[in-house]
Amino acid sequence: MSTQLPESAVPPPTGAGESSPAPSRRTFIATSTAVGGAVVAGGVLAGTSLIGAEEATAAERPPSSRVTLTVNGTRHTVTVDNRTSLLDLLREHLGLTGSKKGCNAGACGACTVLVDGHRVNACLTLAVRLEGAEVTTIEGLADGGELHPLQQAFIDEDAFQCGYCTPGQIVSGVGCIEEGHTGSPQEIREWMSGNICRCGCYVKIVRAVEQTARRK
């Protein structure tokens, strides 16, 4: 039985010195299309990457504003992210770390400060909304080397233990006295209820506020 392939199936002989057969029309068109597409795509991608980088950089910049306020008698003008809380402005921009970040949700009172004489939770107050405001923190209560009467009362009554909530307690107590809510221990407890002491020094805190109010 013959195993010889038909003439149409036998590949044409290629000599050692002969050149490779020329590419077919189909191969030429496919190759040209692929190379041209790669060049065009590369140019488009390069241009897109430059434009995209500029847009991404602009998008990464959060909206910010300049705000001028007076803190403990000193006027400050700062540029902050519009989402910055008063607490973060005080601690991270002005270096006033006396006001503590406890819950950061307005539930513990450790960040209590006075804004235009009124008690506020600094963690819930946006700094950009305080243009022209006067802020008093625990650092601003003392008169030079002389402690505020309520600060001294906290020492005399031993009205603190770990001390973490103490700045907020004292500032809130000052506000409570200025507001006139010190008619009785019960009234003081009610108007100081937004300040939590995890060490349980409430009796001595109320006593310190009560005695300071009487001396005023």
Side-chain angles (χ1 to χ4, degrees):
M1 183 175 180
S2 175
T3 59
Q4 184 176 0
L5 296 173
E7 185 176 351
S8 60
V10 179
T14 302
E18 297 180 3
S19 60
S20 301
S24 67
R25 180 172 179 273
R26 177 178 299 175
T27 304
F28 176 78
I29 293 174
T31 303
S32 300
T33 302
V35 173
V39 171
V40 173
V44 172
L45 290 175
T48 302
S49 64
L50 292 176
I51 297 174
E54 294 175 357
E55 293 178 347
T57 302
E60 287 174 0
R61 297 193 195 101
S64 59
S65 301
R66 287 171 63 86
V67 59
T68 299
L69 68 168
T70 301
V71 181
N72 300 329
T74 302
R75 187 179 177 86
H76 298 274
T77 298
V78 293
T79 300
V80 294
D81 182 331
N82 288 349
R83 300 163 294 181
T84 302
S85 68
L86 173 59
L87 179 60
D88 287 338
L89 171 66
L90 294 172
R91 293 179 59 84
E92 298 177 13
H93 293 264
L94 303 183
L96 299 172
T97 57
S99 303
K100 304 305 181 186
K101 181 176 286 190
C103 64
N104 205 32
C108 71
C111 65
T112 304
V113 298
L114 301 178
V115 175
D116 294 331
H118 300 285
R119 293 179 284 175
V120 301
N121 289 320
C123 70
L124 296 184
T125 306
L126 288 176
V128 294
R129 300 190 65 180
L130 299 180
E131 178 66 31
E134 292 191 7
V135 180
T136 302
T137 71
I138 186 67
E139 292 92 341
L141 293 181
D143 184 10
E146 184 178 353
L147 294 177
H148 185 280
L150 186 55
Q151 289 176 305
Q152 187 61 54
F154 263 67
I155 296 173
D156 296 340
E157 296 296 331
D158 195 22
F160 53 89
Q161 188 167 325
C162 78
Y164 193 84
C165 75
T166 303
Q169 296 280 2
I170 293 176
V171 174
S172 185
V174 170
C176 186
I177 294 170
E178 293 298 326
E179 294 161 12
H181 299 303
T182 56
S184 67
Q186 291 77 15
E187 185 178 12
I188 293 173
R189 281 194 291 269
E190 175 66 25
W191 288 90
M192 291 282 292
S193 60
N195 293 79
I196 296 174
C197 175
R198 292 174 176 83
C199 300
C201 297
Y202 295 111
V203 173
K204 295 180 179 180
I205 291 172
V206 171
R207 189 181 302 156
V209 173
E210 186 178 27
Q211 292 186 4
T212 303
R214 288 177 181 173
R215 296 169 187 160
K216 186 179 177 181

